[in-house]
Amino acid sequence: MGGQQSLCVAGLHPRVTHVIVEEPAGCDLNAGLHGRQEGYPFFPVDDPKVMQTAPYFDAVNFAGHIRATSLVAMGFLDTVAPPTGIWTAFNQIRGPKEVAPMRDAPHNNTATYEEQLPYYTRAGDWLSSLVKSGAVQPKL
């Protein structure tokens, strides 16, 4: 849930300058109501009160306020944090951003190092650049 929390905090606090997240959960929490793949925390779609409350925790609703430079990774085979919700959040981010697509990766707790290599490579590049210069240039 660290990715979800990172996106929410970056959306809430303008002093956050950079965000690096790998497969953030909690994006598109009402997906099941609209025929899209649900993700963690798998709220019950048959409970209207839960579905009405879910947007208050949905990272998509915070992403539109993010001005920080952001690296967002998603596993295309992820059923815990589905890529459709992560893409939705990514598209809302207003600051400079880069996606690290992991074409063959399930969620990070079951993915191999090789499946997550696109994220590890870019996150490593970003962290090195931030340590050296305090800045990073996202790849388009």
Side-chain angles (χ1 to χ4, degrees), residues 12 16 29 72 93 107 117 138:
L12 287 169
V16 174
L29 294 176
V72 179
I93 295 171
H107 199 63
L117 194 56

Side-chain angles (χ1 to χ4, degrees), residues 42-97:
F42 303 104
F43 288 143
V45 297
D46 59 347
D47 187 333
K49 289 186 178 188
V50 171
M51 291 293 97
Q52 184 178 7
T53 305
Y56 289 99
F57 305 96
D58 195 323
V60 171
N61 292 326
F62 295 87
H65 300 282
I66 297 174
R67 302 276 191 286
T69 303
S70 304
L71 174 64
V72 179
M74 64 192 75
F76 285 5
L77 303 179
D78 194 334
T79 58
V80 176
T84 52
I86 298 171
W87 271 119
T88 303
F90 178 81
N91 286 334
Q92 299 300 313
I93 295 171
R94 294 183 182 183
K97 59 191 174 185

